[in-house]
Amino acid sequence: MYRRNLKHSRVKNLFKFSSPKMDRVLIVESALEFDTCFHFEYSPDVISYEAQPEGYYYSYQGKELPYTPDFLVNDRIHGTRFIEVKPVAKTVKAEFRDKFISRQESAKLLGVPLLLVTERQIRVNPILNNLKLLHRYSGIQSLTPLHFTLLNLVRSSGAVHVRNLIASTGEDEGVVLASTLTWLSVGKLKADLSGTALCRDSLVWC
């Protein structure tokens, strides 16, 4: 087992993802890995996740080669698993497939399955855009009386459209939507993130 030290280079850009869930900044190696973080961050099933975890060695053509998965994820449904993130175009190459099979075999011996994820699972909208919108409000710590008024309205209603919250409070649409997004980002409110873009017509509930 070993651990890589990521550094900027002329051929590789690093991306920083600020994770409230993990209370730290994660360093990833591609825009696709960066987008993957949004799914882990806001999935209620994901307990924890780590970028560039401790790596391991695998056998390929008679050699022992080092490998670091892109993520180590622990969730309530699947337990602990390694995640490799790759564009579809790279996964069809014979060398990648052969190496990945060997990497999976070594991961299995460690008791942690290795799974492959591509942009077909990651860059799906409107959910990815909704997750990115939530992330914009995740760092907001100062709660106003309006935040608690909205939360109480939703709790008393069971489920309510944002437009009805706007009408009930008489507040500016943008302020009400922003306050609702704050509660969504911390999990106090819920909404269907996969159906449509979050807006005044969205249905929210506790």
Side-chain angles (χ1 to χ4, degrees), residues 56-60 63-67 99 102-103 106:
Y56 58 87
Y57 288 86
Y58 70 101
S59 298
Y60 180 70
K63 299 179 180 179
E64 292 294 309
L65 302 177
Y67 169 66
K99 285 185 175 180
S102 295
R103 291 166 179 170
S106 294

Side-chain angles (χ1 to χ4, degrees), residues 30-198:
S30 71
L32 189 58
E33 291 176 31
F34 182 80
D35 286 348
T36 306
C37 291
F38 291 100
H39 291 274
F40 295 148
E41 184 71 22
Y42 296 105
S43 169
D45 295 323
V46 172
I47 300 169
S48 64
Y49 66 105
E50 177 185 359
Q52 298 296 311
E54 188 174 17
Y56 58 87
Y57 288 86
Y58 70 101
S59 298
Y60 180 70
Q61 295 183 345
K63 299 179 180 179
E64 292 294 309
L65 302 177
Y67 169 66
T68 298
D70 294 318
F71 295 97
L72 176 65
V73 179
N74 181 26
D75 71 44
R76 294 179 175 84
I77 298 176
H78 304 285
T80 303
R81 54 208 168 110
F82 291 124
I83 302 292
E84 173 73 9
V85 177
K86 277 287 183 290
V88 171
K90 291 187 177 182
T91 66
V92 298
K93 297 179 180 179
E95 182 179 354
F96 173 83
R97 293 199 305 268
D98 292 342
K99 285 185 175 180
F100 189 75
I101 290 172
S102 295
R103 291 166 179 170
Q104 281 186 311
E105 291 173 349
S106 294
K108 187 176 181 180
L109 293 176
L110 295 173
V112 183
L114 171 64
L115 305 179
L116 177 64
V117 177
T118 72
E119 70 268 25
R120 291 177 179 173
Q121 290 83 44
I122 298 165
R123 289 178 172 161
V124 178
N125 281 311
I127 186 170
L128 180 58
N129 285 339
N130 283 335
L131 294 176
K132 289 183 175 182
L133 183 60
L134 293 185
H135 197 254
R136 287 173 52 189
Y137 292 88
S138 62
I140 299 176
Q141 299 298 325
S142 56
L143 299 175
T144 66
L146 177 60
H147 283 94
F148 294 100
T149 297
L150 294 172
L151 188 60
N152 289 332
L153 283 171
V154 177
R155 284 173 173 168
S156 62
S157 301
V160 60
H161 289 92
V162 175
R163 63 175 179 270
N164 293 334
L165 294 175
I166 297 169
S168 296
T169 60
E171 297 287 345
D172 178 77
E173 177 178 327
V175 175
V176 173
L177 182 57
S179 300
T180 303
L181 289 169
T182 300
W183 285 131
L184 287 168
S185 71
V186 297
K188 291 293 186 179
L189 294 182
K190 299 185 182 301
D192 180 8
L193 303 180
S194 61
T196 59
L198 291 171

